[in-house]
């Protein structure tokens, strides 16, 4: 169980007292803050997180809210655009704290999450990131995450690539300037080599690059059996298109940042057959998933991705922590986090260990006939 310093708990208590709670004699409000990119290249991620959280909040409120001791709480969401940059993330977090939030669902991206981690610890507020997967995102005692960690999914993909798919020679293309990409790359390559397979070429790029022909040409000249690209879908859109133009037929393997790529590729054939790690697939015939997808499509006119599902589960984690603690004091909710179990979209159950990590299975998604589906 996580331990918290007394002065941190005191700061949390002071900040929470100032939060707007009273709605009626029998019903109160839990103001949940969140941040993510709503503008810029990664805007799809932030929009998905915001919208997934909104679906969960509507669902919880319609069902009567959270029962915390003798009090009933309804959720409200305050969401700020952090543009997936560190300085904007700090500004967004401070704005949310000024609004008197009771909990922080954020940040959406790893760099932003790390940038505010120490601030949220000083404020003593419970922080649950839906999708910040870098190790530093949950380093403070008040911080938890819903998504997989970078090392966790890197190791899982390495095991799957070598043990299940039988690849012995793999090339890697990763973003050397991004914590997310490098963290997965390090874990993947170490596990591949530990299993007796070989990384035949490791090529890198920088954030903002759009020309990958040099790296792909280098990989094409090797005896690689597959290409692993732990990166975001914006990069994947360029990479897969250029690989196709070069006549490359090697299968692509990826990380959970691939989710959303079908919305940006001009030709789905460029990603047909790819396999990437993801905790959620909207096409699954599961009642909970089907209901979520319908509610999301009705509200926003599009199919939810794993970022939306992670945020949905994150809101339910706050609800479970409030009810387990019998309190909305952050110190009490933080203590409750390792005791709760959430029946979520991205895991059933989802529990949390003492490090703040979610305990759930890593799943693999492929693109088949232009649609996402779990690997059988």
């Amino acid at each position: 169980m996580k331990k918290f310093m007394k002065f941190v708990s005191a700061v949390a208590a002071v900040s929470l007292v100032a939060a707007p709670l009273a709605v009626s004699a029998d019903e109160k409000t839990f103001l949940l803050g969140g941040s993510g990119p709503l503008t810029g290249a990664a805007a799809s991620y932030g929009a998905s997180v915001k919208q997934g959280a909104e679906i969960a909040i509507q669902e919880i409120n319609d069902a009567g809210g959270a029962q915390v001791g003798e009090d009933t709480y309804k959720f409200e969401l305050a969401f700020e655009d952090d543009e997936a940059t560190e300085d904007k993330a700090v500004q967004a977090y401070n704005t949310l704290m000024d609004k008197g939030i009771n909990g922080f669902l954020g940040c959406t991206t790893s760099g932003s999450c790390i940038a505010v981690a120490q601030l949220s610890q000083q404020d003593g507020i419970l922080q649950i990131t839906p999708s910040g997967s870098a190790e530093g995102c949950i380093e403070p005692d008040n911080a938890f995450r819903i998504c997989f960690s970078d090392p966790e999914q890197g190791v899982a993909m390495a095991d799957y690539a070598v043990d299940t798919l039988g690849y012995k020679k793999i090339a890697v293309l990763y973003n050397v300037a991004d914590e997310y990409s490098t963290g997965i790359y390090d874990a993947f390559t170490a596990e591949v080599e530990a299993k007796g397979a070989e990384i035949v070429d490791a090529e890198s790029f920088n954030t903002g690059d759009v020309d990958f022909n040099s790296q792909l040409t280098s990989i094409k000249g090797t005896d690689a059996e597959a290409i692993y690209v732990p990166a975001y879908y914006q990069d994947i859109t360029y990479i897969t298109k250029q690989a196709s133009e070069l006549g490359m037929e090697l299968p692509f393997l990826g990380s959970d940042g691939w989710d959303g790529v079908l919305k940006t590729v001009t030709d789905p054939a460029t990603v047909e057959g790819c396999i990437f790690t993801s905790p959620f697939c909207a096409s699954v015939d599961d009642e909970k998933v089907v209901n979520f997808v319908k509610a999301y499509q009705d509200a926003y006119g599009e199919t939810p991705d794993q970022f939306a599902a992670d945020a949905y589960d994150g809101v339910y984690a706050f609800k479970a922590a409030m009810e387990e603690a019998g309190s909305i004091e952050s110190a009490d909710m933080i203590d409750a986090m390792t005791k709760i179990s959430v029946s979520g979209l991205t895991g059933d159950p989802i529990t949390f260990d003492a490090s703040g990590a979610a305990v759930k299975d890593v799943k693999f998604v492929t693109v088949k006939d232009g649609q996402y589906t779990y690997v059988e």
Side-chain angles (χ1 to χ4, degrees):
M1 185 181 297
K2 293 201 170 193
K3 297 180 179 179
F4 229 63
M5 296 179 291
K6 291 183 178 179
F7 81 92
V8 172
S9 298
V11 172
V14 170
S15 65
L16 290 171
V17 168
L21 298 179
V23 173
S24 69
D26 301 315
E27 187 178 289
K28 300 180 179 181
T29 297
F30 186 94
L31 183 59
L32 182 61
S35 78
L38 298 178
T39 56
S44 173
Y45 297 140
S48 291
V49 164
K50 179 177 181 290
Q51 292 168 180
E54 288 171 346
I55 295 296
I57 286 172
Q58 185 67 53
E59 190 175 279
I60 291 169
N61 289 349
D62 286 349
Q67 191 63 39
V68 182
E70 296 181 355
D71 297 318
T72 300
Y73 283 86
K74 295 292 184 72
F75 282 86
E76 288 186 6
L77 180 66
F79 201 94
E80 293 290 323
D81 182 8
D82 65 22
E83 300 179 25
T85 64
E86 295 180 5
D87 58 336
K88 294 293 185 181
V90 171
Q91 291 178 28
Y93 173 76
N94 287 333
T95 296
L96 291 167
M97 289 302 295
D98 287 343
K99 291 181 178 180
I101 60 172
N102 301 109
F104 182 45
L105 182 71
C107 301
T108 297
T109 54
S110 290
S112 295
C113 200
I114 292 171
V116 304
Q118 295 302 322
L119 294 176
S120 74
Q121 183 182 39
Q122 291 167 14
D123 290 330
I125 194 166
L126 173 58
Q127 175 177 345
I128 304 176
T129 172
S131 47
S133 55
E135 289 293 86
C137 292
I138 59 169
E139 186 174 320
D141 291 340
N142 65 309
F144 297 79
R145 74 160 132 249
I146 295 293
C147 62
F148 308 130
S149 72
D150 295 339
E152 183 179 11
Q153 63 173 312
V155 169
M157 181 54 85
D159 291 343
Y160 185 77
V162 176
D163 297 338
T164 302
L165 299 178
Y167 296 139
K168 300 301 180 185
K169 296 179 181 293
I170 304 171
V172 182
L173 177 57
Y174 71 103
N175 185 344
V176 71
D178 179 63
E179 299 96 334
Y180 167 80
S181 191
T182 56
I184 299 174
Y185 161 76
D186 289 341
F188 177 83
T189 54
E191 182 71 1
V192 165
E193 291 170 352
K195 300 185 81 66
E198 181 183 358
I199 301 297
V200 296
D201 190 12
E203 298 289 329
S204 65
F205 62 92
N206 279 284
T207 303
D209 287 354
V210 296
D211 185 351
F212 301 91
N213 280 282
S214 176
Q215 297 97 320
L216 291 169
T217 299
S218 177
I219 291 172
K220 186 178 180 180
T222 72
D223 57 353
E225 300 166 315
I227 308 173
Y228 182 52
V229 188
Y232 295 123
Y233 70 86
Q234 301 95 328
D235 302 316
I236 304 308
T237 300
Y238 291 108
I239 291 168
T240 54
K241 181 177 184 294
Q242 291 167 26
S244 177
E245 291 170 346
L246 287 170
M248 299 177 69
E249 297 181 353
L250 292 178
F252 275 97
L253 307 175
S255 56
D256 59 359
W258 279 59
D259 199 0
V261 71
L262 284 175
K263 293 189 292 187
T264 57
V265 293
T266 55
D267 181 4
T270 60
V271 292
E272 182 73 17
C274 70
I275 299 174
F276 58 91
T277 45
S278 180
F280 174 77
C281 182
S283 64
V284 172
D285 186 16
D286 172 86
E287 182 179 3
K288 186 178 299 182
V289 172
V290 169
N291 290 339
F292 172 67
V293 171
K294 183 181 186 304
Y296 196 95
Q297 289 175 332
D298 288 347
Y300 308 111
E302 57 186 26
T303 301
D305 57 20
Q306 58 124 345
F307 292 88
D310 280 333
Y312 177 97
D313 287 349
V315 174
Y316 271 94
F318 272 101
K319 178 178 183 288
M322 294 161 62
E323 293 179 336
E324 173 67 29
S327 166
I328 66 163
E329 297 289 339
S330 269
D332 297 331
M333 292 190 293
I334 290 164
D335 278 344
M337 284 295 293
T338 54
K339 304 172 187 175
I340 66 172
S341 178
V342 178
S343 177
L345 298 169
T346 66
D348 190 5
I350 302 171
T351 58
F352 298 88
D353 65 24
S355 74
V359 180
K360 60 185 183 182
D361 293 333
V362 176
K363 301 173 184 177
F364 300 92
V365 170
T366 187
V367 174
K368 183 177 181 181
D369 298 326
Q371 300 292 326
Y372 301 118
T373 184
Y374 280 129
V375 175
E376 297 180 0

